[in-house]
Amino acid sequence: MYRERQGDYPLSEKEVIVVEASSLEEARTIAAQEWGISPSDVVINLVEEEKKLFGILGKRLKVEAKPAHPLEIFKAQKMLTELLERMGLNVTLSLEDDNTINISGDDAGIAIGRYGETLRALEHLLNLMVASSAAGAFRVRLDSDGYRSRREESIKRMAVSAAKKAISRNKPVGLQPMSNWERKVVHTTLQSVEGVETRSVGQDPHRRVIVCPKPAREGKEEARSDQGGTR
């Protein structure tokens, strides 16, 4: 895991900077040091090339640089690096789209935990840490080599099963505590299922979804409305 600086997170808050250097690689390195990130995470664009003394003493480049991802995600990566190192886990972190940090390596399974409980707890803790240092709302997502995709399919099956139980038993069915995106999967999956409705209860990280059967009278009123129209 790349680590440019130790201790706190003294990253520049500027999303775009202009640096002068003798080469593009030097410009990339200067910008990386400004943000405390890896040079490979810097995107550069040549703005101006100025030759010195007719080119005899080389040239000077003016380069516009910006981080490849939002600065907040780099801060979150550094925070997560320290957390996982304290847990003694041998993993590697990489940044992906949608503010996602991917965890891979020999101990990735430990970072995921049973039914994703450890991953969910880490994501919740990390977002609390980021919220305390970020100026606005910013959410980080954690994944581990496609775990979220597999988990999403599992949640969809779980949601459909809960809906069937709620309808057959005519009683609410509570699901296990889930993260924000997991609860959203449940709500989205069941919003088109007739006879049930969903709601979230509790506080994070114990917030969960309750799948409830719709009152029978609601269904009858809808049927009358469909048959008789407005009066």
Side-chain angles (χ1 to χ4, degrees), residues 13 18 58 102 112 164 180 209 220-221:
E13 297 299 325
V18 176
N102 185 69
I112 294 174
K164 292 179 179 178
N180 180 59
V209 176
K220 292 180 180 179
E221 289 174 358

Side-chain angles (χ1 to χ4, degrees), residues 186-196 214:
V186 176
H187 295 310
T188 302
T189 300
L190 298 184
Q191 67 181 2
S192 59
V193 176
E194 295 184 3
V196 296
K214 286 185 178 180

Side-chain angles (χ1 to χ4, degrees), residues 46-88:
L46 179 61
V47 176
E48 182 181 339
E49 180 177 344
E50 177 184 340
K51 293 184 178 180
K52 290 186 176 181
L53 294 178
F54 306 102
I56 298 176
L57 298 179
K59 57 186 178 181
R60 199 68 178 169
L61 308 179
K62 184 175 290 186
V63 179
E64 182 182 79
K66 62 181 180 180
H69 301 276
L71 290 176
E72 287 84 356
I73 197 68
F74 288 108
K75 293 180 182 179
Q77 183 184 30
K78 288 177 178 288
M79 294 175 183
L80 183 59
T81 294
E82 294 187 357
L83 280 174
L84 296 176
E85 284 181 349
R86 291 184 181 185
M87 294 171 63

Side-chain angles (χ1 to χ4, degrees), residues 28-57:
R28 196 188 301 272
T29 299
I30 293 173
Q33 292 175 346
E34 178 75 14
W35 290 308
I37 62 179
S38 169
S40 62
D41 289 321
V42 176
V43 178
I44 59 175
N45 177 46
L46 179 61
V47 176
E48 182 181 339
E49 180 177 344
E50 177 184 340
K51 293 184 178 180
K52 290 186 176 181
L53 294 178
F54 306 102
I56 298 176
L57 298 179

Side-chain angles (χ1 to χ4, degrees), residues 30 33 35 42 47 53 55 96 103-104 110-111 158 187 201 203 218 222:
I30 293 173
Q33 292 175 346
W35 290 308
V42 176
V47 176
L53 294 178
E96 300 182 352
I103 303 174
S104 60
I110 300 176
M158 189 187 309
H187 295 310
V201 298
Q203 300 294 324
E218 182 176 339
E222 291 179 352

Side-chain angles (χ1 to χ4, degrees), residues 87-99:
M87 294 171 63
L89 300 185
N90 179 25
V91 296
T92 300
L93 304 184
S94 59
L95 301 182
E96 300 182 352
D97 295 333
D98 299 325
N99 300 332

Side-chain angles (χ1 to χ4, degrees), residues 111-127 139-140 142 147-148 151 155 176-183 204-207:
I112 294 174
R114 184 173 179 267
Y115 299 127
E117 292 177 352
T118 304
L119 193 69
R120 183 169 61 250
L122 284 171
E123 181 175 288
H124 177 69
L125 178 59
L126 189 60
N127 277 298
R139 288 197 63 84
V140 179
L142 298 185
Y147 170 78
R148 288 178 73 102
R151 173 66 174 163
I155 291 174
Q176 65 191 49
M178 296 180 179
S179 63
N180 180 59
W181 76 268
E182 290 174 323
R183 296 194 303 272
D204 287 328
H206 305 294
R207 192 167 175 79

